[in-house]
C-alpha cells in the first residue's frame, strides 16, 4: 500500500481470502508477526535486567521489591496487549474520539492540579501515578488515522490547508469556512490541540506527535503542496509557541546550556573505579556527564549484568537506561542489539502496513510504530550525548509505569492487526465478519 495506490477505507484486498485458524495453543497466544514477538520479549527481558541492576546497589531501594513492581507492570501491560490484540480494529475505532478527549481532559487536569517547582509529569489517581500524555500520544495518532481513512476516496482532490493566496483567504468567506470545517479542522485540529497541551509538560512528546503525524499525512496520500504548507505553518507557529510558554522556557534553556556533545575532552581520575575520564565542562549537567562515564567505562564486552561501577548515574532505570545497558552489556549486547531491536520493530511495522488493504488499520500501525521507534531513538541519542536531555524513556525497557502499559497496549493493537491480516479477517466487510464470527463459535 504505497503513496500512489488508490486504496480507500472500504476497499477489501482480502476478499476471497479464507480464514486460517491457529493450529496450536502457542499459535493462539503468539498471534501476529513472529519477529515482532521476538523483539518485544527481548526488550522485556532487558527491562528486568535494567530494573534489578540499577536498584541492587542502591540502599534506599529494595531490589526484589522493585523487580516485583516491574513484573507487575509487565503483567498489566501484557493483559492490555492481549486485550487489544483480541479486538478487531472496527470494534475500537468507534471509541477513538472518546479516548482522545478523555486523554486531553486528563492531561489538562494534570497541569491544573500540579504543585511544586518541577514540571508536571503525572496525575495521581487513587495512589497510582498516571501519565495521561502517553495515552494522548497514541490516541491522536489513531484519530488522525481515522480522519485520513475517511477521506481516501477524495484525498488527492481536497486541500487540507487552503493555498496561501489572497483570493482564497480573502475572497469567498463561506467557501473558505466550508473548506476549514470539512477538512482542515477535523484533520489538523486534534494534532494542534494535542501539541499545545503536551508543550506545557514535554517538548519531546510534542516533537514525537508532530513527526509521527507528519509521516502519516505523507503515507496517507495527502498532497505534497498540503504537506509543505503544514510544515511551514508548524514551524511558524510552533517555534514561537515553544519560546513564549513561560513554563517551558526555563527548562528548554537549561537543557541546551547543559548540552555538551564533545566526548573527547580532557580526562580526570574518578574515584568510583579509578579509571580516567574527561573533565566535566562547567555548564554540563551531572546526568549527561555520568552517562558518558558509563559508556566510556564499558569497553567492548561490558562489565556484566549487575556489575556496574558507576553508581552516580541518575535515572539509570528510566531516562538513561541505554547508557546503563551499554556499561553493563557492552558495545554489542548493550548498544547494537538494542538499536537493532528497534530498527527491526520499525521494519516489521512497515511490513504489517503493506499487508493492510484498508486505510485505517494500515495508518494506525504505521503511526504507532513510528511514535514508539522515534521515542526510542530520541532516548538513545540523549544517552550518548548527541541531543540535550529530553526526559524520554526507552520504550518497553525503562522502568515500568503507565507508559509501559500504554506502549504494550499499542503494540497489542499492532499485533492484532498483523494477526487479522495473516488470518484473512482484516479486510472483511461487516456482513462477512458477522458470518465469520458465528462460524468460528461453532
Amino acid at each position: 500500500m504505497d503513496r500512489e495506490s488508490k486504496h480507500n477505507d472500504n476497499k477489501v484486498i482480502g476478499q476471497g481470502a479464507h480464514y486460517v485458524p491457529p493450529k496450536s495453543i502457542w499459535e493462539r497466544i503468539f498471534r501476529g508477526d513472529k519477529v515482532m514477538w521476538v523483539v518485544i520479549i527481548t526488550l522485556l527481558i532487558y527491562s528486568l535486567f535494567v530494573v534489578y541492576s540499577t536498584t541492587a546497589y542502591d540502599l534506599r531501594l529494595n531490589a526484589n521489591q522493585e523487580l516485583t513492581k516491574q513484573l507487575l507492570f509487565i503483567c498489566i501491560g501484557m493483559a492490555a496487549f492481549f486485550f487489544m490484540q483480541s479486538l478487531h480494529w472496527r470494534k475500537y475505532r468507534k471509541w477513538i474520539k472518546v479516548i482522545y478527549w478523555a486523554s486531553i481532559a486528563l492531561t489538562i487536569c494534570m497541569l491544573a492540579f500540579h504543585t511544586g517547582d518541577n514540571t508536571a509529569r503525572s496525575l495521581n489517581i487513587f495512589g497510582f501515578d498516571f501519565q495521561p500524555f502517553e495515552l494522548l500520544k497514541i490516541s491522536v495518532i489513531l484519530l488522525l488515522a481515522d480522519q485520513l481513512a475517511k477521506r481516501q476516496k477524495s484525498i488527492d482532490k481536497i486541500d487540507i490547508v487552503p493555498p496561501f493566496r489572497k483570493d482564497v483567504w480573502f475572497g469567498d468567506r463561506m467557501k473558505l469556512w466550508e473548506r476549514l470545517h470539512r477538512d482542515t479542522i477535523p484533520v489538523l485540529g486534534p494534532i494542534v490541540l494535542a501539541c499545545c497541551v503536551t508543550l506545557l509538560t514535554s517538548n519531546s512528546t510534542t516533537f514525537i506527535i508532530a513527526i509521527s503525524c507528519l509521516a502519516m499525512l505523507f503515507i496517507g496520500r495527502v498532497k505534497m503542496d498540503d504537506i509543505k504548507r503544514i510544515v511551514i505553518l508548524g514551524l511558524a507557529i510552533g517555534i514561537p509557541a515553544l519560546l513564549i510558554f513561560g513554563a517551558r522556557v526555563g527548562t528548554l534553556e537549561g537543557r541546551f546550556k547543559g548540552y555538551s556533545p564533545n566526548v573527547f575532552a580532557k580526562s580526570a581520575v574518578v574515584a568510583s573505579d579509578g579509571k580516567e575520564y574527561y573533565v566535566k565542562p562547567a555548564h554540563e549537567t551531572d546526568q549527561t556527564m555520568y552517562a558518558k562515564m558509563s559508556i566510556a567505562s564499558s569497553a567492548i564486552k561490558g562489565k556484566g549484568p549487575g556489575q556496574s561501577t558507576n553508581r552516580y548515574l541518575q535515572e539509570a532505570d528510566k531516562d538513561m537506561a541505554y547508557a546503563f545497558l551499554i556499561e553493563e552489556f557492552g558495545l554489542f549486547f548493550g548498544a547494537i542489539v538494542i538499536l537493532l531491536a528497534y530498527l527491526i520493530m520499525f521494519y516489521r511495522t512497515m511490513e504489517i502496513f503493506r499487508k493492510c488493504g484498508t486505510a485505517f488499520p494500515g495508518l494506525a500501525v504505521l503511526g504507532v510504530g513510528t511514535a514508539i521507534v522515534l521515542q526510542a531513538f530520541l532516548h538513545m541519542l540523549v544517552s550518548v550525548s548527541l541531543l540535550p536531555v529530553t526526559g524520554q524513556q526507552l520504550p518497553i525497557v525503562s522502568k515500568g509505569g503507565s507508559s509501559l502499559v500504554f506502549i504494550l497496549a499499542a503494540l497489542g493493537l499492532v499485533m492484532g492487526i498483523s494477526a487479522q491480516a495473516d488470518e484473512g479477517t482484516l479486510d472483511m466487510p461487516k456482513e462477512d465478519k458477522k458470518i465469520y464470527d458465528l462460524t468460528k463459535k461453532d
Side-chain angles (χ1 to χ4, degrees):
M1 189 170 66
D2 55 30
R3 183 175 172 80
E4 301 300 326
S5 66
K6 299 298 181 182
H7 70 278
N8 58 66
D9 197 32
N10 298 314
K11 183 177 179 181
V12 181
I13 291 177
Q15 271 186 322
H18 298 288
Y19 169 64
V20 181
K23 296 179 180 179
S24 66
I25 186 170
W26 293 110
E27 289 183 354
R28 290 172 185 162
I29 295 173
F30 297 107
R31 296 170 62 230
D33 191 285
K34 300 301 184 288
V35 178
M36 279 284 284
W37 267 111
V38 173
V39 171
I40 293 169
I41 292 172
T42 300
L43 293 176
L44 286 173
I45 292 172
Y46 269 99
S47 77
L48 296 177
F49 278 115
V50 167
V51 171
Y52 190 81
S53 293
T54 54
T55 56
Y57 58 78
D58 192 338
L59 297 178
R60 296 170 299 176
L61 297 172
N62 185 309
N64 293 326
Q65 185 178 358
E66 294 300 316
L67 184 62
T68 302
K69 286 182 182 178
Q70 182 71 0
L71 286 169
L72 176 61
F73 281 119
I74 289 175
C75 290
I76 296 172
M78 290 307 297
F81 177 99
F82 285 117
F83 175 74
M84 293 302 300
Q85 186 191 45
S86 67
L87 295 178
H88 194 273
W89 60 269
R90 285 194 177 94
K91 291 185 178 180
Y92 52 76
R93 183 179 180 180
K94 57 187 176 182
W95 293 100
I96 291 173
K97 287 184 179 180
V98 175
I99 297 171
Y100 171 80
W101 287 110
S103 61
I104 286 285
L106 288 170
T107 306
I108 293 174
C109 288
M110 179 190 72
L111 295 169
F113 297 124
H114 175 70
T115 57
D117 298 330
N118 296 328
T119 305
R121 302 289 293 181
S122 62
L123 180 66
N124 190 282
I125 301 178
F126 301 113
F128 176 71
D129 285 334
F130 171 77
Q131 294 180 322
F133 56 86
E134 294 291 346
L135 177 61
L136 177 58
K137 182 167 57 180
I138 302 300
S139 63
V140 69
I141 287 170
L142 296 180
L143 185 55
L144 177 61
D146 179 61
Q147 293 297 326
L148 289 175
K150 290 177 179 177
R151 291 167 173 78
Q152 285 302 295
K153 290 181 179 179
S154 58
I155 195 72
D156 53 347
K157 300 176 184 178
I158 62 177
D159 292 319
I160 301 298
V161 177
F164 300 145
R165 298 200 312 265
K166 183 186 290 187
D167 60 310
V168 174
W169 289 90
F170 299 99
D172 190 339
R173 298 295 180 87
M174 291 297 296
K175 187 176 181 180
L176 174 64
W177 170 246
E178 183 182 351
R179 280 184 176 184
L180 295 175
H181 181 72
R182 184 184 66 240
D183 299 311
T184 308
I185 296 175
V187 174
L188 300 183
I191 304 173
V192 173
L193 180 58
C195 288
C196 288
V197 172
T198 56
L199 195 62
L200 292 169
T201 183
S202 175
N203 302 142
S204 51
T205 299
T206 306
F207 176 78
I208 292 170
I209 290 174
I211 298 300
S212 301
C213 291
L214 189 64
M216 292 176 65
L217 290 170
F218 179 78
I219 301 297
R221 301 173 53 243
V222 172
K223 294 187 297 184
M224 283 305 301
D225 289 339
D226 266 326
I227 292 178
K228 290 176 184 176
R229 289 192 286 267
I230 291 169
V231 172
I232 292 171
L233 285 174
L235 293 175
I237 298 172
I239 294 176
L242 182 64
L243 300 174
I244 289 172
F245 282 122
R248 299 299 302 164
V249 170
T251 304
L252 186 66
E253 183 180 356
R255 284 176 177 172
F256 274 98
K257 277 186 176 180
Y259 175 49
S260 180
N262 182 16
V263 295
F264 301 105
K266 296 179 181 179
S267 62
V269 176
V270 177
S272 62
D273 59 2
K275 294 187 178 180
E276 290 191 347
Y277 304 100
Y278 63 95
V279 174
K280 172 189 170 186
H283 60 274
E284 187 177 4
T285 63
D286 289 342
Q287 194 172 15
T288 55
M289 181 190 72
Y290 288 125
K292 291 178 184 178
M293 288 169 53
S294 293
I295 295 171
S297 65
S298 65
I300 300 297
K301 62 179 182 179
K303 298 174 182 176
Q307 302 302 313
S308 169
T309 57
N310 180 15
R311 307 304 194 193
Y312 308 105
L313 179 60
Q314 299 174 2
E315 302 292 334
D317 56 350
K318 295 179 181 177
D319 298 354
M320 291 294 174
Y322 189 60
F324 182 81
L325 283 170
I326 294 175
E327 181 184 3
E328 294 211 336
F329 290 91
L331 177 63
F332 180 76
F333 290 104
I336 296 177
V337 169
I338 296 295
L339 176 63
L340 285 176
Y342 289 106
L343 288 174
I344 293 170
M345 178 181 289
F346 184 70
Y347 174 74
R348 297 313 302 177
T349 55
M350 292 297 294
E351 289 298 305
I352 297 168
F353 166 76
R354 290 190 181 99
K355 293 179 183 179
C356 299
T358 305
F360 173 78
L363 291 169
V365 165
L366 176 76
V368 169
T370 301
I372 293 174
V373 175
L374 183 58
Q375 178 179 332
F377 272 80
L378 282 176
H379 174 98
M380 288 186 280
L381 289 172
V382 168
S383 293
V384 298
S385 299
L386 292 178
L387 282 180
V389 176
T390 61
Q392 288 294 333
Q393 298 183 0
L394 190 58
I396 306 176
V397 175
S398 290
K399 190 174 181 179
S402 57
S403 60
L404 175 61
V405 174
F406 290 138
I407 287 171
L408 288 175
L411 286 172
L413 178 150
V414 170
M415 294 295 281
I417 290 173
S418 172
Q420 292 155 31
D422 293 340
E423 294 165 5
T425 63
L426 181 70
D427 301 313
M428 277 187 176
K430 292 182 180 179
E431 295 77 12
D432 292 351
K433 182 68 173 58
K434 290 177 181 178
I435 297 173
Y436 156 73
D437 287 337
L438 292 173
T439 56
K440 190 174 73 166
K441 289 180 181 179
D442 295 337

